[in-house]
Amino acid sequence: MILIQGKGVSRGVVKGPLYFFQRPDTNIQKITVTDVKAEKARAKAAREKSAEQLNALAEKCKEEAGEETAILFETHAMFCDDDDYVEAIEDMLAEEKCNAEYAVKAAGEQFATMFANMDDAYMKSRSADVKDVTQRILNNLMGVAQGGIESDVPVILCSDDLAPSETLQLDKSKILGFALTAGSSNGHTAILARTMGIPAICNIGADLKVDYQGRTAYLDGETGKVVLDPDSITIQAFKDKEEKQKKFKELMETMKGQEDVTLDGKHINVYCNIGNPDDVAAVLNNDGQGIGLFRSEFIYLAASDYPTEEEQFQAYKKVAADMKGKRVIIRTLDIGADKQVEYFHMKKEENPAMGVRAIRICLNNPEVFRTQLRALYRASAYGKVAIMFPMITSVWEVKECKRACARVMEELHNEGIPFNPETEIGIMIETPSSIFVAPELAEQVDFFSVGTNDLTQYTLACDRQANDLGKFFDAHHPAVLRALKMAADAAHEKGKWIGICGELGADLSLLPTFLAIGIDELSVSPSSVLPLRAEIRKSIARLCTLDALNC
Ligand code: PEP
Ligand code: MG
């Protein structure tokens, strides 16, 4: 029996084959070949396969995301067969007598640079498309699965950690669980796993060996254990846990349709965090009462170029409409730090968590901001949309955001486009400075939502991505909890409401503290809604104390 220990970050027990995520090799070497004809045939086959995949994606998009995104894939498919691009690949093969991989990579780079150097902004941005198509052709040449998984059966996906853009491409129906050698409980793979209700373990280290590929393992996302070749006692223990899990799920089903209210009548809004419109299915399935955080940056991360107003509008409108009048809080673009988007061409920073990220990017790029705000306000006509700004540190930032909102509303009004002028505006409280100026911030907005992932990072000076900070990264630290109370008091003083949308919101051991502080809303991953509801319904708010705030 092989027992591998990591950190459990998303509960649940699963059994399945281990599968190591396939990442394309970016270090392509030039190899001299004797059979140029064979390399030409390989390049052609890879281009044709890529075009086929892209056309299939376009068809899928037509049904699920609308024409505009479909056109993007159709254009990519056409580029696979572009005369000049094909000629560049074939000339390189003939002249250099090299391997197809090298020729495709070189032609792709040549075209990407050519587009990037053009004056016209539209042509310039085609550079990202060329890179995308070239990578797909290279993946097909090297036999690397698109989206990282090529398996007929669902698997336990093993990797170091996954970039947000990689998680987006995964075929979630193929994933039973995640086993990560790196990563942290606040990392995006862990957040995705919890959103999808997929068991996950991170920070396993070198004990998870690529040699284990294909071997059947048990994974327990609560205890952080992966077991290969289990002995009979361990198999029985896992089976018992599976049975317990099944019973717990059945019990949670009985929570559907129940009110989120304590025994003494204190109501709390239990909302969900989502990353894309498809996640709404999980929200509805778990009876979430609203969306407390739609991380809109995932739309940007999934695109190879700035998403247009129309593309964004369609996504926001779909979520607003699907939620049928329940509140949908959409956070404006929060990239930078661990979420890098290539086409933003951001400068490399020494300390990106403290660099130009989130609202700073929007305020520095008024056109990008305006496009998103227009899409958000247009979507506000189709449901109960609220807009939320991330990483606020100062009152002037909020005033500038509100001015941008006012300008957009005026534009839409003049164009006769419907929107809700009463759309709520809120901010994320996730920096220490926002705590200190919370009274003034509360005057400016309709609500606060506390991002405990970043608030913990900045308050305790602990990198949220690092997995070796151990006990130093303590989201239960009295400093974090007192900050929460200060923000709540400031909001309530001005008659505003406050929620938590960081991962701490789902921490049932802190529910009494949240009730004592007077938190009005908790936004958690969809799979956490029903367990949280069960706990709320067992609680007596007036007996809850602030003990956790003392050292
Ligand atoms: C947070 O910081 O707690 C938060 C909810 O935002 P994100 O995790 O996306 O930074
Ligand atoms: Mg944050």
Side-chain angles (χ1 to χ4, degrees):
M1 179 166 102
I2 302 171
L3 172 65
I4 305 167
Q5 184 69 51
K7 185 176 185 326
V9 290
S10 179
R11 280 159 179 246
V13 180
V14 284
K15 179 189 170 200
L18 296 178
Y19 184 96
F20 283 77
F21 181 68
Q22 296 186 16
R23 213 171 251 136
D25 182 4
T26 47
N27 186 19
I28 291 167
Q29 302 291 332
K30 184 174 176 184
I31 302 167
T32 308
V33 298
T34 45
D35 193 349
V36 172
K37 230 168 130 190
E39 292 306 294
K40 269 194 186 172
R42 284 184 66 227
K44 184 166 182 273
R47 283 192 297 102
E48 284 171 357
K49 186 167 179 188
S50 303
E52 250 171 55
Q53 290 166 342
L54 287 160
N55 281 321
L57 275 174
E59 281 308 311
K60 190 164 174 251
C61 258
K62 272 184 200 153
E63 288 158 26
E64 293 173 9
E67 281 290 327
E68 200 165 343
T69 321
I71 288 171
L72 184 83
F73 287 121
E74 279 169 1
T75 318
H76 280 199
M78 267 149 56
F79 188 75
C80 295
D81 206 23
D82 177 87
D83 286 347
D84 294 335
Y85 183 63
V86 175
E87 196 179 307
I89 297 171
E90 298 201 338
D91 283 356
M92 168 80 68
L93 287 169
E95 284 160 24
E96 306 277 330
K97 298 199 179 356
C98 60
N99 47 328
E101 288 84 349
Y102 186 80
V104 169
K105 182 171 176 253
E109 278 170 0
Q110 180 193 328
F111 273 71
T113 313
M114 183 183 83
F115 281 116
N117 289 336
M118 288 183 179
D119 288 335
D120 181 84
Y122 174 81
M123 295 310 278
K124 222 183 184 54
S125 60
R126 299 283 66 78
S127 174
D129 294 327
V130 176
K131 285 188 195 159
D132 225 36
V133 175
T134 302
Q135 190 57 57
R136 179 176 290 275
I137 299 174
L138 285 171
N139 287 353
N140 282 322
L141 264 175
M142 297 186 286
V144 174
Q146 306 291 345
I149 308 174
E150 198 164 278
S151 167
D152 296 336
V153 292
V155 297
I156 294 176
L157 192 65
C158 307
S159 179
D160 42 3
D161 194 4
L162 297 165
S165 54
E166 287 174 332
T167 63
L168 278 166
Q169 293 177 27
L170 294 172
D171 178 354
K172 319 285 188 300
S173 66
K174 292 255 178 78
I175 306 171
L176 294 168
F178 288 103
L180 304 177
T181 55
S184 66
S185 125
N186 283 325
H188 287 281
T189 317
I191 291 176
L192 170 90
R194 289 192 288 266
T195 302
M196 307 296 302
I198 298 174
I201 299 175
C202 70
N203 204 11
I204 297 173
D207 288 347
L208 185 65
K209 298 189 177 72
V210 182
D211 299 352
Y212 299 154
Q213 168 85 10
R215 286 177 65 176
T216 300
Y218 279 95
L219 178 148
D220 184 341
E222 187 179 19
T223 60
K225 287 184 177 22
V226 179
V227 184
L228 281 87
D229 308 329
D231 57 23
S232 57
I233 298 176
T234 313
I235 291 176
Q236 193 52 50
F238 270 104
K239 283 195 172 147
D240 289 349
K241 198 149 186 186
E242 267 173 338
E243 190 55 31
K244 239 170 106 184
Q245 184 176 291
K246 207 170 130 229
K247 289 219 170 88
F248 181 70
K249 275 201 179 135
E250 281 163 13
L251 183 68
M252 287 304 109
E253 283 294 307
T254 65
M255 285 292 124
K256 288 188 180 168
Q258 308 270 13
E259 219 191 321
D260 296 306
V261 66
T262 63
L263 286 171
D264 52 341
K266 161 95 182 135
H267 180 87
I268 284 206
N269 285 324
V270 177
Y271 291 170
C272 293
N273 295 345
I274 64 166
N276 68 66
D278 292 344
D279 293 340
V280 172
V283 177
L284 297 175
N285 195 26
N286 287 282
D287 201 24
Q289 294 303 297
I291 287 171
L293 171 63
F294 176 1
R295 291 180 161 98
S296 71
E297 58 273 15
F298 279 87
I299 293 176
Y300 292 74
L301 283 158
S304 57
D305 196 0
Y306 293 97
T308 62
E309 177 184 320
E310 188 60 25
E311 279 167 341
Q312 294 191 59
F313 165 61
Q314 292 298 342
Y316 307 146
K317 176 183 159 189
K318 183 170 184 335
V319 175
D322 287 355
M323 288 304 292
K324 297 194 171 56
K326 289 184 170 154
R327 192 185 267 132
V328 173
I329 303 176
I330 306 178
R331 175 175 76 183
T332 58
L333 179 68
D334 183 4
I335 56 166
D338 57 316
K339 288 178 250 170
Q340 291 294 330
V341 180
E342 211 185 308
Y343 53 83
F344 272 78
H345 301 297
M346 297 200 294
K347 283 209 190 95
K348 200 161 165 35
E349 295 171 306
E350 282 297 314
N351 198 348
M354 303 216 188
V356 184
R357 58 165 291 203
I359 200 64
R360 298 172 185 178
I361 292 178
C362 289
L363 294 178
N364 282 350
N365 294 277
E367 258 319 294
V368 171
F369 199 25
R370 174 174 163 263
T371 302
Q372 180 166 37
L373 290 176
R374 282 184 60 99
L376 288 169
Y377 274 104
R378 284 174 60 193
S380 71
Y382 298 85
K384 192 175 178 186
V385 169
I387 300 175
M388 177 158 76
F389 302 113
M391 263 287 279
I392 293 296
T393 58
S394 310
V395 176
W396 69 262
E397 294 164 340
V398 182
K399 288 186 175 166
E400 211 168 305
C401 290
K402 284 170 68 182
R403 279 196 291 274
C405 290
R407 281 195 298 273
V408 160
M409 283 194 278
E410 197 183 328
E411 278 175 25
L412 295 177
H413 174 74
N414 292 340
E415 292 164 30
I417 296 174
F419 66 95
N420 174 12
E422 306 296 325
T423 299
E424 285 179 300
I425 289 181
I427 55 169
M428 296 212 41
I429 295 290
E430 49 185 350
T431 62
S433 67
S434 66
I435 300 289
F436 295 125
V437 295
E440 289 79 5
L441 290 171
E443 276 172 19
Q444 296 293 326
V445 296
D446 298 305
F447 65 93
F448 285 167
S449 185
V450 185
T452 49
N453 310 335
D454 276 316
L455 185 63
T456 308
Q457 151 163 278
Y458 296 125
T459 303
L460 302 183
C462 279
D463 183 350
R464 62 186 269 189
Q465 294 289 110
N467 50 35
D468 49 5
L469 280 162
K471 62 186 177 201
F472 297 104
F473 190 99
D474 174 17
H476 289 214
H477 195 294
V480 178
L481 301 177
R482 286 183 200 180
L484 201 58
K485 173 147 190 338
M486 285 164 76
D489 289 348
H492 292 150
E493 180 89 3
K494 300 278 165 14
K496 311 295 165 74
W497 61 268
I498 182 166
I500 298 176
C501 61
E503 295 302 301
L504 207 61
D507 187 330
L508 299 183
S509 70
L510 281 177
L511 181 62
T513 309
F514 300 152
L515 287 168
I517 288 175
I519 296 297
D520 303 289
E521 175 242 8
L522 292 168
S523 188
V524 297
S525 57
S527 58
S528 297
V529 166
L530 298 174
L532 178 56
R533 177 170 299 160
E535 202 62 27
I536 291 172
R537 293 177 63 80
K538 278 194 279 185
S539 304
I540 301 174
R542 69 183 146 76
L543 296 186
C544 293
T545 67
L546 292 170
D547 287 354
L549 273 60
N550 295 319
C551 297

